[in-house]
Amino acid sequence: TGEVLLIKSLKMTLLLGALVPGVGHIYLGVYQPGIMIFLVGVFLRFVTDIFLPFPLDWIVSGIYWAWALFHLHRIYRIISGPAKPNVD
């Protein structure tokens, strides 16, 4: 009743999240998790660059990046509601 639900583009959401972890969350309006994911990602990248050798630091960052995208897609599905059947 009077509630407006703004559906954002899944492609744009995932693109933003893939470029910078946390930005896709902010685009969806989920600010607190988005900012935390961004800050943890920056901190994790900084720490792994200092303390881990080359291939391992990229692997750790890649796992975090993949988790952030998975979380973003899950949040998108929750916000956009249940999928509607495709009736042609």
Side-chain angles (χ1 to χ4, degrees):
T1 66
E3 182 178 319
V4 176
L5 180 62
L6 180 61
I7 305 278
K8 306 275 183 153
S9 164
L10 176 61
K11 289 179 184 177
M12 179 61 81
T13 302
L14 292 177
L15 176 67
L16 290 171
L19 292 174
V20 181
V23 174
H25 291 76
I26 294 170
Y27 172 72
L28 287 179
V30 188
Y31 299 108
Q32 186 175 4
I35 292 169
M36 289 304 297
I37 288 171
F38 174 77
L39 292 176
V40 168
V42 169
F43 177 76
L44 184 68
R45 188 71 190 138
F46 177 73
V47 169
T48 57
D49 275 349
I50 292 173
F51 294 109
L52 295 177
F54 163 64
L56 194 56
D57 65 342
W58 281 61
I59 291 170
V60 170
S61 295
I63 291 170
Y64 183 76
W65 174 80
W67 171 83
L69 276 178
F70 173 76
H71 186 262
L72 177 61
H73 188 262
R74 203 179 109 223
I75 294 296
Y76 180 87
R77 285 188 315 181
I78 291 170
I79 289 176
S80 64
K84 296 183 173 77
N86 197 3
V87 179
D88 291 326

